[in-house]
Amino acid sequence: MSRLPGTDISWSMRRRLVLAFGVLLIVFLGLAGFVLDRAYKQSVAAAVAERLQLQVYALLGVAEPEADGKFFLPDLEEARFSQIDSGLYGLIYNKDGTELWRSPSALNLNVDPAPMVDSELLPGQTSYGEHSTQDQGALAWASYRTYWEPLDQLFFFVVMESTAPSAVEIREFQSTLYLWFGALTVLLSVAQYLLLRWGLRPLQQLAQDVSAIESGTQDQLEQHYPRELLPVTDNLNLLIKNERERQNRFRTTLGDLAHSLKTPLAVLSTALQEARSAQHFTEQQQRDMSEQLQRMNQIVSYQLKRAVKSNQAVLARPVLLAPVLERITGALHKVYRDKEVSVELMLVEGAQFFGEESDLMEVCGNLLDNAFKYGHRRVQVKAERKGKSLLLEINDDGAGIAESQRNFVLQRGARADTVKSGQGIGLAVVVDIVSAYGGELKIERSEWGGASIKLRLG
Amino acid sequence: MRLLVAEDEDLLRARLVKALEDNSYVVDSCSNGKTALFQAGEYGYDAAIIDLGLPGLDGISLIKAIRAKGMLFPILILTARDNWTDKVAGLDAGADDYVVKPFQIEEIRARLNALLRRAAGFAKPALDFAHLSLDTTSKKLTVSGDDVELTAFEYKVLEYLMLHPGKVVSKTELTEHLYEQDHDRDSNVLEVFIRRLRQKLDPDETLKPIDTVRGQGYRFNVPATRN
């Protein structure tokens, strides 16, 4: 079933208002035009009727009956009565419709007198109408019934006038009306657009601010919103602040948890080593305990690392890639000082990651640590931006990762206790973080034959 | 070699200290960051092992404070927080390497050895001087390719001198770095060890690797074969 337009709540507010104002404007201007047009036509018709009436009176004033029952009208003041086809015609009929007189102008006029000779009309009353002729076009007429006392007869004094001048007048009025209404429509539409723009500006600003927060260029919503929006913006700011604090608290708590869990593990591990040198246990017992300790450690490490990673990139802030990579490679140069690894950073100017810096540190730290550890002398990092995504490539000149192992290390959430010590956790955590940011990771062979880790973040 | 171990978990610290002492290190330990800073300034250490989660003064601040005071001895971080933000922060602050808890004592020993010889400018586990070679991993001495047996104390003296080649090392410095604080320090004993070492390193007395600088101490004077 299709919805009625506008019932879908996802319709934009601008669209709703434009539609509402648009319909209102059309209805209002349409009605106003119609009423004005009607009123003008009526006033023109009234003016014509009045004019015809006056002409009738003029005819009555000069009409003189003759002996043959006809009329003689000398000295007609109105010159148009005397010009043939002038558009103003005078006629006199008796009650049967017999023509008793016609003005010289009506010489060529051919009309049916029937509608004008209305027997129900009382003497002294005028009837009006319109008559269509072949030669003179539409004619408005006024027919006045009069009782002529000396002759004791009823006559109809009829004046007809061409409607062409008033039609022209009406058309001119309509043209002016349309012109003004057109201009008014344009003016009101522009005003409506500007008003909507102005009125919806705070909402537009809110959308921009929210998108700036999403993309990380802004920390929170500014404080200059109108009163009506303040409850929304204040609550949104509070929500953002709480969410950030919650993330930090969560991270700190997990860090403390790691410390609390791992220190006893370290004690147990050293105790076991002492017991081994003192030969307190059989070899099998030592192996079992050592394996179980290692498993516990792996599970704790892996699950904590999974938990500590940021779970959303929505409140991301931009993190410049270069300083993070420089800090990590600087640290790794210290750790792998004996290897004299040369690192080549090929980053596009201002390469940024939209997310938590700790997540970027974890991804780059684990990948670069592997590159330093398994590479011989060369490590290369390439980074470029593609839209909002960051493309990162880390190459080394080590032995590379065998194709048979690639799928295993890429399995998202590979269980920690199935991963052997010393490998896998780092990459598994990287895969988890990359997935959390909706990215992907591929393992290939670098141009030097080592590992090439290619990832897309965001 | 005199080490400082700063770790707040008593059991772990005790075991670490014991394991390191078993490996011929002289170890001072403490459980608080502020005490560690005081001790670091008070005694000249060859290396320190610092837990990042210390009370009083946290590990990162402690390392920064140590470096700010101009002390350059290598620092190994112990951390339970196995994340790169903390590792990099520690290394940035001035540490030289890190070990994540739980750890194997062998790993600590290997990392310490590497840090100590790196600090002395040796890139490989062996300290090579002409025909003398001291392997800091296996703790073995070879003279012209032949294995020579050393007692634990002889090894400590030789390693210390080799890690400070060309430098006059006073008897006080040697005893401080090789004996426990409360140990009865008898400089005559040291002379006996030096004499024995000279015999083992240079039985023909042609090379004379250890000079006695009168009134000042000893100097290992064979040029290093840097690798």
Side-chain angles (χ1 to χ4, degrees):
Chain A
M1 217 177 97
S2 63
R3 281 169 187 254
L4 283 172
T7 54
D8 184 353
I9 197 159
S10 65
W11 261 44
S12 85
M13 292 174 69
R14 181 185 292 270
R15 203 164 153 193
R16 285 161 191 267
L17 291 171
V18 164
L19 187 74
F21 278 127
V23 169
L24 201 66
L25 196 66
I26 290 167
V27 169
F28 174 77
L29 289 179
L31 268 176
F34 176 73
V35 169
L36 281 175
D37 188 54
R38 260 311 266 282
Y40 188 75
K41 278 180 179 164
Q42 276 175 359
S43 80
V44 167
V48 168
E50 197 179 341
R51 229 171 28 240
L52 291 176
Q53 183 80 61
L54 285 173
Q55 296 299 348
V56 167
Y57 291 148
L59 291 186
L60 276 172
V62 294
E64 284 178 24
E66 291 191 321
D68 56 356
K70 301 218 169 178
F71 275 84
F72 174 63
L73 284 86
D75 306 327
L76 279 170
E77 245 180 66
E78 174 60 61
R80 282 190 294 157
F81 279 127
S82 310
Q83 292 166 5
I84 294 178
D85 297 334
S86 66
L88 183 68
Y89 312 106
L91 294 144
I92 301 172
Y93 295 103
N94 67 10
K95 64 177 187 291
D96 307 322
T98 310
E99 187 182 307
L100 302 176
W101 176 83
R102 69 165 56 199
S103 65
S105 59
L107 209 62
N108 299 327
L109 191 66
N110 185 19
V111 287
D112 172 20
M116 295 173 282
V117 183
D118 184 359
S119 56
E120 286 177 16
L121 202 66
L122 295 173
Q125 280 190 336
T126 311
S127 68
Y128 300 94
E130 222 177 273
H131 196 85
S132 200
T133 64
Q134 210 165 5
D135 299 327
Q136 282 78 18
L139 299 171
W141 54 260
S143 173
Y144 181 79
R145 191 174 188 189
T146 182
Y147 174 68
W148 209 274
E149 214 168 328
L151 298 177
D152 190 25
Q153 273 188 32
L154 286 165
F155 299 102
F156 290 93
F157 278 71
V158 176
V159 174
M160 304 179 94
E161 191 183 40
S162 168
T163 58
S166 44
V168 168
E169 204 179 328
I170 287 173
R171 267 203 305 280
E172 275 174 3
F173 172 77
Q174 282 174 334
S175 307
T176 315
L177 189 71
Y178 295 153
L179 189 72
W180 277 104
F181 269 44
L184 202 60
T185 309
V186 172
L187 192 72
L188 286 176
S189 300
V190 171
Q192 175 199 333
Y193 171 78
L194 292 174
L195 280 175
L196 280 181
R197 216 178 127 93
W198 180 67
L200 293 177
R201 180 98 190 99
L203 286 178
Q204 214 172 3
Q205 181 65 42
L206 180 64
Q208 278 172 5
D209 278 0
V210 168
S211 124
I213 291 170
E214 274 174 11
S215 64
T217 48
Q218 204 168 303
D219 266 354
Q220 57 168 18
L221 300 169
E222 302 295 336
Q223 298 296 322
H224 52 251
Y225 283 100
R227 204 171 55 241
E228 294 86 343
L229 282 181
L230 281 181
V232 177
T233 55
D234 286 354
N235 280 327
L236 210 51
N237 272 340
L238 193 66
L239 196 70
I240 293 167
K241 186 165 159 268
N242 285 348
E243 177 57 20
R244 288 206 169 118
E245 279 174 5
R246 195 189 62 80
Q247 275 183 16
N248 283 339
R249 211 167 39 240
F250 188 55
R251 200 165 283 136
T252 315
T253 309
L254 285 171
D256 292 344
L257 187 61
H259 190 255
S260 330
L261 285 172
K262 287 196 153 190
T263 306
L265 277 178
V267 174
L268 279 178
S269 172
T270 47
L272 186 64
Q273 286 165 57
E274 271 181 35
R276 190 187 301 154
S277 20
Q279 296 190 325
H280 284 159
F281 300 111
T282 65
E283 223 167 81
Q284 183 60 42
Q285 284 172 327
Q286 282 173 18
R287 211 168 28 246
D288 286 351
M289 282 191 276
S290 175
E291 267 178 26
Q292 293 313 308
L293 266 179
Q294 205 175 322
R295 263 185 76 182
M296 279 168 68
N297 179 38
Q298 297 273 359
I299 294 166
V300 169
S301 298
Y302 183 67
Q303 297 301 345
L304 283 177
K305 277 185 170 222
R306 270 172 63 98
V308 89
K309 74 175 195 293
S310 157
N311 287 314
Q312 50 180 332
V314 175
L315 299 175
R317 293 173 181 166
V319 184
L320 274 177
L321 195 60
V324 170
L325 286 175
E326 278 159 15
R327 281 186 73 202
I328 295 175
T329 51
L332 287 170
H333 273 306
K334 268 189 172 177
V335 177
Y336 296 96
R337 194 178 302 169
D338 293 344
K339 292 186 84 167
E340 290 175 7
V341 177
S342 84
V343 179
E344 190 185 358
L345 295 181
M346 296 167 72
L347 315 176
V348 288
E349 184 82 16
Q352 285 177 330
F353 163 69
F354 285 90
E356 285 296 323
E357 184 171 356
S358 58
D359 290 337
L360 181 65
M361 286 284 255
E362 213 53 36
V363 168
C364 295
N366 281 310
L367 293 179
L368 281 168
D369 187 38
N370 281 344
F372 269 73
K373 195 184 291 173
Y374 300 113
H376 295 307
R377 283 185 175 275
R378 299 182 69 171
V379 171
Q380 184 187 52
V381 184
K382 289 182 185 171
E384 57 179 298
R385 290 208 62 79
K386 195 174 179 186
K388 263 199 97 172
S389 301
L390 174 70
L391 303 181
L392 201 62
E393 188 180 324
I394 296 178
N395 301 313
D396 67 57
D397 60 346
I401 301 173
E403 275 196 47
S404 55
Q405 283 184 5
R406 289 181 192 171
N407 276 339
F408 178 74
V409 295
L410 288 184
Q411 273 170 15
R412 191 180 165 207
R415 284 189 50 144
D417 49 2
T418 63
V419 180
K420 289 287 167 219
S421 172
Q423 48 169 288
I425 283 194
L427 258 179
V429 168
V430 170
V431 171
D432 270 354
I433 293 174
V434 170
S435 307
Y437 282 90
E440 56 182 356
L441 184 147
K442 281 191 288 187
I443 302 177
E444 291 176 8
R445 186 162 289 279
S446 75
E447 58 176 305
W448 307 309
S452 172
I453 313 286
K454 291 181 178 169
L455 50 109
R456 180 177 60 77
L457 279 164
Chain B
M1 291 288 148
R2 192 174 203 98
L3 304 180
L4 173 65
V5 172
E7 161 64 57
D8 60 325
E9 174 68 36
D10 293 344
L11 268 174
L12 185 61
R13 188 179 65 252
R15 291 186 189 284
L16 193 56
V17 168
K18 185 175 179 307
L20 289 168
E21 282 174 348
D22 288 348
N23 279 283
S24 312
Y25 290 106
V26 178
V27 186
D28 291 341
S29 68
C30 60
S31 60
N32 181 296
K34 284 183 179 161
T35 319
L37 183 60
F38 169 76
Q39 279 186 259
E42 204 67 8
Y43 309 102
Y45 289 105
D46 297 296
I49 299 176
I50 293 174
D51 178 32
L52 284 188
L54 283 177
L57 185 67
D58 69 88
I60 303 266
S61 310
L62 171 61
I63 296 167
K64 281 185 182 162
I66 287 174
R67 293 299 186 228
K69 287 187 172 185
M71 292 179 264
L72 298 172
F73 55 78
I75 296 174
L76 179 65
I77 303 172
L78 283 187
T79 174
R81 292 181 172 85
D82 183 15
N83 62 63
W84 281 92
T85 309
D86 284 349
K87 285 181 203 167
V88 170
L91 292 165
D92 265 1
D96 299 272
D97 202 355
Y98 65 88
V99 171
V100 178
K101 289 179 186 176
F103 46 78
Q104 302 283 316
I105 290 295
E106 287 80 7
E107 189 178 0
I108 299 265
R109 211 181 60 185
R111 298 284 181 100
L112 263 181
N113 264 335
L115 288 182
L116 287 168
R117 64 178 165 69
R118 271 191 215 154
F122 294 91
K124 286 185 180 167
L127 311 179
D128 294 325
F129 294 84
H131 62 281
L132 305 173
S133 176
L134 188 72
D135 190 325
T136 56
T137 311
S138 60
K139 300 200 181 296
K140 277 187 178 166
L141 171 71
T142 55
V143 178
S144 305
D146 298 328
D147 287 351
V148 174
E149 283 296 320
L150 290 179
T151 65
F153 197 79
E154 285 166 359
Y155 175 85
K156 286 205 255 185
V157 174
L158 181 59
E159 187 191 33
Y160 194 83
L161 289 175
M162 280 184 161
L163 288 175
H164 301 85
K167 180 192 162 200
V168 177
V169 179
S170 68
K171 283 184 188 174
T172 319
E173 184 180 342
L174 260 183
T175 48
E176 264 183 15
H177 284 266
L178 306 179
Y179 287 110
E180 298 296 332
Q181 274 178 43
D182 50 1
H183 197 275
D184 180 21
R185 299 169 189 192
D186 184 349
S187 62
N188 291 330
V189 177
L190 195 60
E191 282 169 20
V192 174
F193 280 114
I194 295 283
R195 193 161 61 239
R196 278 201 215 152
L197 261 182
R198 282 178 174 145
Q199 283 167 3
K200 287 187 178 179
L201 295 175
D202 185 31
D204 311 333
E205 294 190 20
T206 49
L207 189 67
K208 294 191 176 166
I210 302 171
D211 285 343
T212 303
V213 183
R214 194 167 295 278
Q216 292 185 50
Y218 302 103
R219 180 172 57 207
F220 191 78
N221 65 2
V222 185
T225 315
R226 299 280 173 183
N227 39 40

